[in-house]
Amino acid sequence: MRKKIVAGNWKMNPNYPEALELLHYLNNNIPREHYNVDILICPPFIYLSEAQKLFNRTDIYLGAQNASSYTNGAYTGEISASMLKSMRINYVIIGHSERRQYFGENEEVLAKKIKLCLQENVIPIYCVGETLEQRNANEQFDIVEKQISGALFDLSAEQINKIIIAYEPVWAIGTGVNASPHQAQEMHMFIRNLIMNKYDDTISRELIILYGGSVKKDNANELFSMPDIDGGLIGGASLKGEEFVSIINTTKNIVNK
Ligand code: 13P
């Protein structure tokens, strides 16, 4: 059975006092009984250590939003997977569409990042998804297949077992227009099939696939109830404490798949 995950990606937000306030709110308001859902918060690097000190509970996990494709050394401004590990940060978002779009990250670089994270036992949440133009041209499946095969298919069965995938259609990110549950389910099933064809049925059945793109408390339940959707990677709504907690609460009656 796959576990469900609700993850918040704060992106490059907010400033320090607001971050502290939000962390306090989450620490105090995320329900202690959260229905078999793992909660993950991915603030900017600079707040990770503060968040770690502040959370006085062990049921809220922390993740980073990026890791270097280099191991260590003279790479000014970079943060390595081994640094994350040494700080006990066990998750990292890799290949978010914003990193692909604004920082030129391609599958070759992302494959390196993923391998370094796996070497350090930091779990990569690998993001994939098509642009609106690509969907309008009906290329979404080709694009996602290329993103997955290009960055993941060198991994061994043992390594792929540790990965989480997030399907985040670019046209749904920050737009208020989420993929419909049907559109998301269709892509999640496609991704699961890709993994089954390359690896095996058990690996594919156990793969956690999150949906991201304009998830809100009003659409979370319907999306997360779909058979191949195992939770969400939430941007804007994760910056509003109350909304994020409401999203967690919507998972209450969703059975594990
Ligand atoms: P929004 O929830 O703001 O659409 O962002 C989704 C996202 O990019 C999460 O990584």
Side-chain angles (χ1 to χ4, degrees):
M1 233 168 16
R2 306 188 294 268
K3 64 180 172 188
K4 295 183 292 243
I5 299 179
V6 172
N9 173 11
W10 289 11
K11 309 191 180 182
M12 200 170 71
N13 301 294
N15 64 27
Y16 181 54
E18 289 162 344
L20 270 185
E21 200 180 317
L22 181 54
L23 290 168
H24 270 289
Y25 183 90
L26 297 173
N27 185 55
N28 295 333
N29 292 283
I30 288 178
R32 300 245 165 206
E33 166 52 73
H34 43 72
Y35 328 112
N36 301 322
V37 182
D38 279 1
I39 313 297
L40 174 65
I41 312 287
C42 304
F45 285 123
I46 196 166
Y47 306 139
L48 279 168
S49 150
E50 189 80 31
Q52 217 160 24
K53 285 185 212 136
L54 190 145
F55 286 144
N56 58 10
R57 43 197 289 191
T58 52
D59 59 337
I60 304 176
Y61 296 101
L62 286 166
Q65 298 174 18
N66 185 23
S68 180
S69 56
Y70 295 99
T71 324
N72 70 304
Y75 301 100
T76 301
E78 288 288 270
I79 306 248
S80 69
S82 75
M83 289 175 188
L84 294 177
K85 183 63 192 176
S86 67
M87 292 279 296
R88 288 171 288 110
I89 302 299
N90 297 322
Y91 291 87
V92 59
I93 299 169
I94 296 288
H96 192 281
S97 61
E98 289 147 15
R99 300 236 33 110
R100 295 176 191 259
Q101 183 182 353
Y102 304 122
F103 303 95
E105 296 188 356
N106 58 23
E107 279 83 40
E108 196 187 335
V109 167
L110 298 172
K112 287 187 193 158
K113 293 185 176 206
I114 288 169
K115 279 188 194 137
L116 289 174
C117 291
L118 288 170
Q119 267 172 32
E120 300 294 338
N121 275 326
V122 178
I123 299 173
I125 302 176
Y126 178 59
C127 301
V128 298
E130 79 286 356
T131 63
L132 185 59
E133 236 180 13
Q134 291 161 341
R135 179 160 280 261
N136 286 341
N138 203 26
E139 292 168 358
Q140 65 271 26
F141 297 110
D142 294 342
I143 294 294
V144 167
E145 180 164 2
K146 180 174 155 284
Q147 291 169 336
I148 290 198
S149 61
L152 301 184
F153 279 5
D154 271 352
L155 299 177
S156 67
E158 195 194 332
Q159 287 173 316
I160 197 93
N161 249 329
K162 296 185 182 140
I163 300 257
I164 295 170
I165 292 179
Y167 171 55
E168 300 206 309
V170 178
W171 48 271
I173 296 178
T175 59
V177 182
N178 57 287
S180 70
H182 168 75
Q183 284 172 320
Q185 164 59 26
E186 190 181 33
M187 184 60 83
H188 282 228
M189 197 171 77
F190 175 76
I191 294 170
R192 211 176 285 293
N193 283 336
L194 285 177
I195 299 295
M196 183 175 72
N197 294 336
K198 171 73 184 172
Y199 295 92
D200 66 39
D201 189 45
T202 311
I203 289 174
S204 126
R205 264 190 287 113
E206 283 172 8
L207 175 71
I208 296 172
I209 311 178
L210 306 179
Y211 167 79
S214 296
V215 175
K216 303 181 255 328
K217 67 173 187 291
D218 299 337
N219 58 24
N221 180 277
E222 214 190 338
L223 283 159
F224 301 169
S225 299
M226 300 308 280
D228 288 293
I229 301 184
D230 303 310
L233 182 53
I234 293 135
S238 74
L239 292 166
K240 299 179 209 138
E242 222 174 301
E243 173 94 11
F244 190 64
V245 168
S246 300
I247 291 173
I248 295 169
N249 285 331
T250 66
T251 60
K252 185 173 178 174
N253 296 320
I254 302 175
V255 291
N256 281 14
K257 296 148 197 159

